[in-house]
Amino acid sequence: MSNSNLYQRLASGFSNHFTKVAIETPDGRRWSYRDLDHETARLARFFHSLGLRKGERVAVQVEKSPEALLVYLACVRAGLIYLPLNTAYRSQEIAFFMSDAQPSVFIARPEAKREVEMLARRYNIAHLFDLGPHGTGSLLEQSRPLDTDYPAVPCAGDEIAALLYTSGTTGQPKGAMLSHDNLASNAATLQSAWGFTTADVLLHALPLFHAHGLFVASHCALLSGAKMLFLAGFEAPTVVKYLPRATVFMGVPTYYTRLLAEPALDRQSCAAMRLFISGSAPLREQTFVAFDERTGHRILERYGLTETLMNSSNPLQGERKVGTVGVALEGVAIRIAADTGRPLPRGEVGEIQVKGPNVFSGYWRRPERSAEDFTDDRWFRTGDLGKLDDEGYLTIVGRRKDLIITGGYNVYPKEIESHIDRLPGVLESAVIGLADADFGERVVAVVVKSAAASELSTRSLIDSLKQFVANYKVPKAVFFVDELPRNAMGKVQKNRLREQLGG
Ligand code: AMP
């Protein structure tokens, strides 16, 4: 039987470009594809030497670095389950992940090791190591003497390679179990959809604790033998500085608005670029248009979730329709369904449901949630609301739980936000529903306006909206704020807005 281990599949072409640089950092550190092969072998061997068996979990909460990516690849190579954690998580949150996932190994930032030590003892975690951003710490120290060869542990395609707790903006996190097949099939699909080749240079600015930076970005590059310019995080001036040396960039929409605030971003700085990709949160039409005007690049927007990896993408060749997240990727099926589960015709709004080799098998130790989130015929219920046009392009209109029902009428926040965002002086907006004795919920807008827009008021905003949308959709109240609360992936945290405004 062939080995379906994801590492083996990602690394199948490594030997063709062993001497090529795979990863380079701004401070001049470099790893060739041979180094990647050797270093991940050494680390996999080290995990093996600890007596870890296939399927045990390795939790990692470290700053982004090339070494952190090597640890991920080594876990997969050793048949272990990789569990990345956001560096922003605090003790109480870490305690939850430890008790839920029961990892055998925890890899912490050097400065957090003492704090984690106590928790590790409480949750019987056998091995605790630290790893600093420049490869310092006990993990690499202790593994250094080991040999640099190690065969990828044989795995079946449906065995779990990674456990990613969904960032969600509400509720308790759930661990999405992603298999070797889920990850490998999505990587191959994206590599081909986005035309990655060994000539590409990916400017990698995304975090490694989320599917976007860990899988979508890194896998495309590794599978193609491309080079990654590896930044420790996103800073707009640094990204603009390195763009002339890159061909592809991936980011969340916030990255693009921040890049636009850099005067140095222009056609010249993007001359070597062939592709800008956006996802993880909605890209505003204004951002798309402004970016096109400034750089000559039409940002390619795609759509995915932790649970399904990537589902749809605007095309590399062909029309990139602004406001849509493109068409279903090769091998992925997307349908729109009513609450009853009945598939809806093109043009109608309903829940986006997905099926394909990319879709996860369920949540870690939560069979009841897994059952709720799949239909009887095994379509995954994304919780996103959307519609398909005649050409199969998908538009997301909001989250099912964001849907506002006011006086019995459905209001899709995205529709109202798009209108508000087009008004002069508006930088961005979020529309939410707050509890209302009369209407059940009332529509409320939270708006960030530009410093120059002093004349924009609740009255003028409401009057303008009345020209475009039915009265029941017009916000009953408007709050002006300096900025909208967002999580690490740039998603607006509507639950926080609802809490603050008493919904
Ligand atoms: P996560 O699991 O953190 O990747 O979040 C997945 C959610 O992000 C989806 O269910 C969508 O609500 C949202 N999302 C991802 N990509 C897009 C996009 N291009 N446009 C709008 N929402 C998106």
Side-chain angles (χ1 to χ4, degrees):
M1 198 192 74
S2 69
N3 183 0
S4 292
N5 186 308
L6 169 68
Y7 178 82
Q8 173 119 335
R9 289 147 93 177
L10 288 175
S12 60
F14 280 13
S15 58
N16 298 334
H17 21 257
F18 255 175
T19 53
K20 228 196 117 186
V21 175
I23 305 181
E24 187 178 324
T25 60
D27 59 4
R29 298 191 305 146
R30 287 178 172 177
W31 284 258
S32 67
Y33 273 94
R34 179 184 283 114
D35 296 335
L36 238 63
D37 182 50
H38 287 185
E39 296 307 321
T40 56
R42 198 199 300 275
L43 280 162
R45 191 172 272 281
F46 178 65
F47 290 133
H48 184 93
S49 75
L50 300 174
L52 300 179
R53 286 190 313 277
K54 200 160 84 167
E56 290 191 58
R57 275 80 54 214
V58 177
V60 179
Q61 191 193 27
V62 298
E63 298 300 341
K64 179 182 175 185
S65 69
E67 288 85 353
L69 187 68
L70 297 180
V71 172
Y72 156 61
L73 294 171
C75 285
V76 175
R77 191 167 181 169
L80 301 166
I81 298 180
Y82 184 76
L83 161 50
L85 294 171
N86 190 332
T87 40
Y89 288 139
R90 314 307 300 259
S91 288
Q92 214 180 338
E93 292 160 305
I94 298 299
F96 168 78
F97 296 116
M98 286 182 174
S99 73
D100 197 61
Q102 299 182 313
S104 311
V105 179
F106 195 102
I107 304 171
R109 286 163 295 166
E111 64 275 20
K113 200 175 166 205
R114 285 185 75 86
E115 191 181 334
V116 175
E117 228 156 30
M118 279 160 31
L119 289 171
R121 232 174 286 129
R122 188 181 327 150
Y123 292 101
N124 291 321
I125 291 171
H127 308 280
L128 175 62
F129 302 100
D130 63 341
L131 175 67
H134 288 91
T136 53
S138 57
L139 180 70
L140 296 192
E141 254 159 47
Q142 293 183 30
S143 57
R144 200 156 289 136
L146 299 184
D147 281 351
T148 55
D149 65 317
Y150 188 82
V153 166
C155 289
D158 60 359
E159 284 182 284
I160 307 307
L163 186 59
L164 260 69
Y165 281 81
T166 53
S167 65
T169 40
T170 52
Q172 200 179 45
K174 309 164 283 199
M177 300 188 287
L178 294 161
S179 70
H180 291 266
D181 272 356
N182 294 149
L183 293 160
S185 71
N186 211 232
T189 303
L190 295 178
Q191 180 201 22
S192 141
W194 296 337
F196 266 84
T197 71
T198 179
D200 273 313
V201 179
L202 173 76
L203 186 51
H204 194 302
L206 287 157
L208 290 181
F209 53 73
H210 186 272
H212 198 166
L214 183 63
F215 305 139
V216 181
S218 308
H219 287 178
C220 280
L222 295 173
L223 207 51
S224 319
K227 174 157 117 179
M228 284 188 263
L229 283 175
F230 220 66
L231 306 182
F234 175 82
E235 278 172 21
T238 316
V239 168
V240 176
K241 181 173 160 198
Y242 284 97
L243 278 177
R245 293 178 48 196
T247 63
V248 183
F249 179 76
M250 295 188 196
V252 298
T254 319
Y255 290 7
Y256 289 102
T257 46
R258 298 215 179 134
L259 285 174
L260 281 166
E262 293 298 313
L265 178 85
D266 56 15
R267 279 170 195 261
Q268 182 74 25
S269 55
C270 297
M273 290 292 295
R274 68 169 184 89
L275 185 59
F276 286 91
I277 302 175
S278 174
S280 289
L283 179 71
R284 293 188 322 140
E285 195 177 323
Q286 292 87 322
T287 311
F288 178 93
V289 171
F291 204 84
D292 189 7
E293 279 169 10
R294 181 89 74 84
T295 66
H297 284 276
R298 291 168 70 78
I299 300 171
L300 180 152
E301 187 170 8
R302 92 309 178 267
Y303 160 65
L305 288 83
T306 304
E307 291 92 332
T308 63
L309 305 166
M310 298 305 104
N311 300 314
S312 73
S313 171
N314 272 283
L316 185 63
Q317 315 291 349
E319 194 186 356
R320 296 184 195 163
K321 285 193 196 174
V322 58
T324 80
V325 292
V327 298
L329 284 162
E330 188 74 41
V332 180
I334 295 181
R335 73 176 189 187
I336 305 295
D339 277 349
T340 55
R342 181 177 54 91
L344 292 169
R346 296 252 155 127
E348 284 190 35
V349 171
E351 184 180 31
I352 303 169
Q353 300 185 346
V354 185
K355 209 181 227 187
N358 53 316
V359 178
F360 79 142
S361 55
Y363 295 107
W364 177 255
R365 292 182 181 163
R366 280 186 183 65
E368 73 300 342
R369 278 312 307 256
S370 307
E372 266 171 39
D373 289 329
F374 283 91
T375 64
D376 292 343
D377 49 353
R378 292 301 291 171
W379 288 80
F380 176 65
R381 304 162 57 100
T382 63
D384 291 315
L385 295 168
K387 59 182 177 187
L388 288 166
D389 73 9
D390 287 340
E391 294 175 307
Y393 282 72
L394 178 66
T395 301
I396 300 176
V397 301
R399 297 278 302 158
R400 209 170 42 180
K401 51 181 174 286
D402 285 344
L403 172 70
I404 304 166
I405 305 182
T406 181
Y409 291 110
N410 287 1
V411 178
Y412 299 107
K414 170 100 182 287
E415 183 196 351
I416 315 303
E417 288 159 5
S418 307
H419 284 297
I420 298 179
D421 290 351
R422 273 188 221 117
L423 298 176
V426 171
L427 294 179
E428 58 175 350
S429 64
V431 167
I432 55 172
L434 296 184
D436 185 280
D438 196 15
F439 294 102
E441 279 184 302
R442 64 178 183 281
V443 181
V444 165
V446 186
V447 177
V448 182
K449 59 179 177 178
S450 71
S454 53
E455 71 287 0
L456 189 70
S457 65
T458 299
R459 192 67 273 148
S460 67
L461 194 142
I462 286 178
D463 286 347
S464 309
L465 278 183
K466 280 186 174 163
Q467 299 171 33
F468 304 114
V469 297
N471 259 340
Y472 70 89
K473 298 183 186 172
V474 174
K476 302 264 181 303
V478 180
F479 295 91
F480 291 100
V481 297
D482 292 337
E483 60 177 0
L484 297 175
R486 290 181 188 278
N487 73 7
M489 297 311 290
K491 293 185 216 298
V492 174
Q493 293 167 303
K494 290 197 169 176
N495 56 321
R496 281 185 55 193
L497 286 175
R498 279 190 285 266
E499 274 161 30
Q500 285 161 12
L501 298 173

